[in-house]
Amino acid sequence: MTLKELHKVFLKYPTISTDTRVIQPNSIFFALKGEHFNGNTFAQTALDKGAVYAVVDEAQYATSENIILVEDVLSTLQHLATYHRHQSKARVVALTGSNGKTTTKELIHAVLKKKYRTVATKGNLNNHIGVPLSLLTIEEDTEIAIIEMGANHQKEIEFLTSIAQPDFGYITNFGKAHLEGFGGVEGVIKGKSELYDYLIANDKYIFLNADDPIQQEKLAGYVKKFGYSTTDQRYFRILLKTEHPFVSIEVEGTTINTQLIGAYNFTNCSAAILIGKYFNVPIEAIKDAIEAYVPSNNRSQLLEQNGHSIILDAYNANPTSMAAALENFRRIEQSPKVIFLGDMFELGDTAVEEHQDVADRVAKMQLDEVFLIGKLFSQTDTQFKKMTAFEDLESYLTEHPLPKSTILIKGSRGMALERILDIL
């Protein structure tokens, strides 16, 4: 079956399934392979559970006319996504960066759907499987698709852009994330800039934070760009009014009062405002969209629980986002103030050093209690309470309940620090 023929099948049954545990009726099952599973073995199960077709790449499993044999299932999924993207009239906006990708994507989506029929990456499905799945949600009347791209090593963004082939792009920032895979901060800059490389090579439009010196340097000679700045008159002006506790923004004489905490969310909102402005979304509609957005999924959530005021930022962590969260917490004046920090992953040879830097930063803050959780934080030279395992923290807090406090919870996804809420 040719790609064009497969696409015709997809248009008739435009739902993709990759997991037989959650098969959707009348879907096409793509038998992907993983380190510990072979989707080919589940092809017939998928059909039995309601899939119309199954796509496999091992001949022994092509046992009926509803099972389509291809050379490589994953590659076929990726090529189908690119083909589908070009059969539609939708314009594709791609974004990547070290921090804030998902929140920025959701804010951009909230703004653009005020005027356009849009689709966007669901959750953080931003890898070599998630990007094609996101592109395949583009419908006939879709006008703009917002596609998030994640990466933890060189050439990954280059590959994802070859699939999505975006018309526009934005990089949130270049920070200390996935240092192990990228090979240091310079590797991060090089890897994330692969989005710039594609857009520039193909004469596409770039959105930028003009207050970021790295972005300014990378795009110094490029004409097709539209940026925002708090100070530079050459760019669209967006100003941070307040950040206590929520970010308040002024743009074109309009005040936008968000439900987001921390100055780091100012840049996330500013990207959405900038892109909304480019696509001629009225400022009042932009204001309504951003003011209505409420963070979820452990991302900078402000919670009240049992008398505690809690900033839950446990979706992920790296040295850059950790520094931003600590700086925001430092500015909060309520007391007593308590911090729970969990290990940051994928830092390679710099892991111990980066965790010590965080501990040193915390030592300069006025705090009532500090808990460092994880094997890496346990290696730091500090007087703070250190727990190698989460169970140690659980035991301690059970025996020593905290008084009503203002609390920051921050750590990498693998630490699952949202569990602290159950203890508090």
Side-chain angles (χ1 to χ4, degrees):
M1 182 178 284
T2 66
L3 188 63
K4 185 175 181 180
E5 290 169 337
L6 180 59
H7 186 249
K8 286 182 179 179
V9 174
F10 170 73
L11 291 180
K12 189 174 181 180
Y13 303 102
T15 303
I16 303 296
S17 292
T18 60
D19 187 341
T20 54
R21 293 169 296 183
V22 287
I23 285 289
Q24 297 188 55
N26 298 317
S27 62
I28 303 173
F29 173 73
F30 276 74
L32 299 174
K33 295 176 181 176
E35 192 173 338
H36 303 294
F37 67 91
N38 181 354
N40 286 277
T41 64
F42 298 101
Q44 188 58 51
T45 301
L47 297 178
D48 294 340
K49 287 189 171 185
V52 181
Y53 288 94
V55 180
V56 303
D57 51 17
E58 295 180 15
Q60 69 190 87
Y61 297 103
T63 55
S64 76
E65 60 182 15
N66 286 69
I67 298 181
I68 301 167
L69 181 64
V70 299
E71 186 173 333
D72 181 270
V73 171
L74 176 57
S75 179
T76 298
L77 178 68
Q78 293 163 342
H79 283 102
L80 178 65
T82 304
Y83 184 86
H84 178 67
R85 173 255 182 281
H86 284 296
Q87 296 307 303
S88 78
K89 297 177 182 177
R91 291 173 286 181
V92 175
V93 179
L95 74 152
T96 189
S98 298
N99 304 109
K101 291 186 295 297
T102 300
T103 299
T104 301
K105 175 259 302 178
E106 291 177 353
L107 286 163
I108 295 169
H109 188 205
V111 167
L112 293 183
K113 71 181 181 182
K114 286 288 185 179
K115 183 174 180 178
Y116 301 94
R117 289 180 290 276
T118 65
V119 298
T121 299
K122 287 184 171 59
N124 67 331
L125 294 174
N126 58 19
N127 64 4
H128 61 296
I129 297 172
V131 167
L133 290 176
S134 297
L135 291 168
L136 289 167
T137 65
I138 294 173
E139 299 179 349
E140 186 177 357
D141 63 351
T142 300
E143 296 172 287
I144 300 176
I146 304 125
I147 305 297
E148 180 183 334
M149 297 178 177
N152 57 19
H153 57 267
Q154 303 288 343
K155 299 296 182 180
E156 194 168 2
I157 294 298
E158 179 183 283
F159 180 64
L160 295 179
T161 56
S162 74
I163 296 172
Q165 299 184 15
D167 303 294
F168 305 89
Y170 176 72
I171 298 178
T172 59
N173 67 344
F174 302 93
K176 292 182 176 181
H178 306 296
L179 297 181
E180 185 174 20
F182 279 114
V185 175
E186 288 304 315
V188 172
I189 295 172
K190 182 180 178 182
K192 298 295 183 181
S193 293
E194 289 164 8
L195 176 57
Y196 285 161
D197 297 339
Y198 174 87
L199 295 165
I200 292 171
N202 291 277
D203 198 33
K204 302 295 185 180
Y205 229 92
I206 297 175
F207 302 111
L208 79 147
N209 172 2
D211 290 339
D212 181 341
I214 300 174
Q215 294 189 40
Q216 278 276 36
E217 180 183 350
K218 287 282 182 181
L219 301 173
Y222 194 61
V223 176
K224 297 182 75 171
K225 61 187 177 186
F226 184 45
Y228 76 87
S229 174
T230 58
T231 57
D232 195 327
Q233 300 287 347
R234 296 174 299 172
Y235 296 95
F236 186 62
R237 291 292 299 281
I238 304 177
L239 302 177
L240 174 62
K241 290 185 69 176
T242 62
E243 52 177 293
H244 304 295
F246 299 112
V247 170
S248 180
I249 298 168
E250 184 175 325
V251 55
E252 293 188 328
T254 298
T255 298
I256 301 174
N257 296 310
T258 79
Q259 299 185 66
L260 293 159
I261 59 171
Y264 50 90
N265 269 312
F266 168 71
T267 57
N268 298 337
C269 292
S270 295
I273 295 167
L274 179 78
I275 294 171
K277 183 68 178 176
Y278 177 87
F279 284 104
N280 296 310
V281 179
I283 191 65
E284 282 303 317
I286 294 175
K287 172 183 168 73
D288 290 346
I290 293 178
E291 289 189 341
Y293 176 76
V294 179
S296 60
N297 201 16
N298 306 324
R299 289 185 176 90
S300 297
Q301 290 178 261
L302 187 59
L303 308 172
E304 298 293 332
Q305 180 174 308
N306 295 339
H308 300 297
S309 179
I310 304 168
I311 299 173
L312 178 62
D313 197 359
Y315 183 79
N316 220 335
N318 57 54
T320 302
S321 67
M322 190 72 84
L326 290 172
E327 173 59 21
N328 176 65
F329 196 68
R330 182 187 67 80
R331 298 182 186 184
I332 295 174
E333 296 179 356
Q334 295 120 312
S335 61
K337 294 170 72 174
V338 178
I339 284 182
F340 296 89
L341 300 182
D343 280 357
M344 304 173 288
F345 298 156
E346 296 185 56
L347 297 179
D349 294 338
T350 66
V352 174
E353 177 186 347
E354 293 290 356
H355 283 77
Q356 185 64 54
D357 284 348
V358 170
D360 293 343
R361 184 186 296 268
V362 172
K364 297 175 183 177
M365 298 170 64
Q366 293 185 336
L367 301 165
D368 295 276
E369 196 87 78
V370 176
F371 298 89
L372 303 179
I373 307 109
K375 295 178 181 178
L376 289 166
F377 266 128
S378 292
Q379 297 178 50
T380 57
D381 181 13
T382 176
Q383 299 302 309
F384 299 134
K385 291 182 176 67
K386 296 181 285 189
M387 283 84 172
T388 304
F390 184 83
E391 290 71 23
D392 299 330
L393 174 67
E394 188 174 24
S395 298
Y396 180 88
L397 291 178
T398 301
E399 295 177 13
H400 306 85
L402 288 179
K404 294 178 181 179
S405 305
T406 300
I407 298 170
L408 170 65
I409 301 173
K410 177 76 175 171
S412 282
R413 179 85 300 271
M415 296 300 296
L417 291 190
E418 65 275 10
R419 293 177 291 171
I420 293 173
L421 298 180
D422 295 331
I423 309 172
L424 296 177

